[in-house]
Amino acid sequence: MLANRGGWLSGSKTPGLTWLRYLMAQQTNKQTGTLPESLRSGLVDDTGLLEALFPDERSRPSERWLRKMRTKRLIPCVKIGHRFVRYSVRDVEAALAKQFTREAKYL
């Protein structure tokens, strides 16, 4: 059995998660187009955020679009130092939903 013995998954919320179960979850989530909850709750880089928000590669915007949204302060980010920028997928999803969702007008 491939058990987690203090590796990179030891600090996660699911300490009993094995490599085999992790790989099976990754394969399952590739088919559905979503990431596991343990990976969605952490901080990700530019490409990781775009992959999490837009699972279909054909509809995925560019990293330039993401940087433009960040400089306009339309999405939240965590800056550590000068160039080290990370994003919380949940916070960015909420910000994009708030920014780009329009209420229907009733006549």
Side-chain angles (χ1 to χ4, degrees):
M1 184 100 168
L2 299 171
N4 180 18
R5 299 188 192 277
W8 65 276
L9 289 175
S10 63
S12 69
K13 294 180 182 177
T14 55
L17 188 64
T18 62
W19 281 101
L20 182 60
R21 284 181 32 208
Y22 172 75
L23 293 174
M24 289 173 57
Q26 284 294 91
Q27 186 63 27
T28 303
N29 291 319
K30 282 182 183 176
Q31 294 169 358
T32 60
T34 60
L35 290 174
E37 190 62 33
S38 61
L39 294 179
R40 292 178 65 83
S41 61
L43 295 176
V44 294
D45 62 348
D46 292 347
T47 55
L49 179 67
L50 290 174
E51 289 173 1
L53 294 177
F54 304 98
D56 183 21
E57 192 171 335
R58 295 176 294 170
S59 66
R60 190 176 301 153
S62 65
E63 289 185 26
R64 183 177 180 176
W65 174 84
L66 184 63
R67 288 191 301 268
K68 185 177 174 183
M69 297 290 284
R70 184 180 72 221
T71 56
K72 288 184 176 181
R73 297 180 184 239
L74 295 177
I75 57 172
C77 66
V78 177
K79 281 187 102 172
I80 303 169
H82 180 65
R83 291 187 172 203
F84 193 73
V85 178
R86 294 294 182 254
Y87 305 92
S88 169
V89 177
R90 287 183 179 175
D91 293 345
V92 173
E93 282 178 338
L96 289 175
K98 182 180 177 184
Q99 184 71 26
F100 294 108
T101 302
R102 301 283 183 223
E103 295 291 327
K105 288 186 177 180
Y106 294 103
L107 298 176

